[in-house]
Amino acid sequence: MKSIEEQLNEYKERADSVSRESGEAVQAFALELIGEIERLVVENKRLRKALAQSADRRYESTKLRDALRE
């Protein structure tokens, strides 16, 4: 399975080839979609990082709570 970045690069290449064959409206639409994908990739990375940090904090608080109970 391709990564998001690989798919994004493939979409960019396809948009370039389509833009040569069709009008500016199609090219603008393709570029708009690519921009949205890029924004979602950045947001996805941010959310994954936040989720990982949240999981780390839960582990630490559980570890601290267990230590305090002893």
Side-chain angles (χ1 to χ4, degrees), residues 35-66:
E36 181 67 10
I37 291 169
E38 288 174 332
R39 184 188 69 76
L40 291 172
V41 166
V42 170
E43 184 177 355
N44 189 24
K45 285 181 182 179
R46 182 186 60 79
L47 291 172
R48 285 178 184 262
K49 184 177 178 180
L51 181 62
Q53 288 175 348
S54 173
D56 288 345
R57 276 188 238 127
R58 275 186 277 171
Y59 173 73
E60 289 174 3
S61 65
T62 303
K63 194 173 179 181
L64 176 61
R65 186 174 34 234
D66 291 344

Side-chain angles (χ1 to χ4, degrees), residues 22-37:
S22 59
E24 290 181 24
V26 173
Q27 180 183 9
F29 180 63
L31 292 174
E32 183 180 336
L33 289 174
I34 290 170
E36 181 67 10
I37 291 169

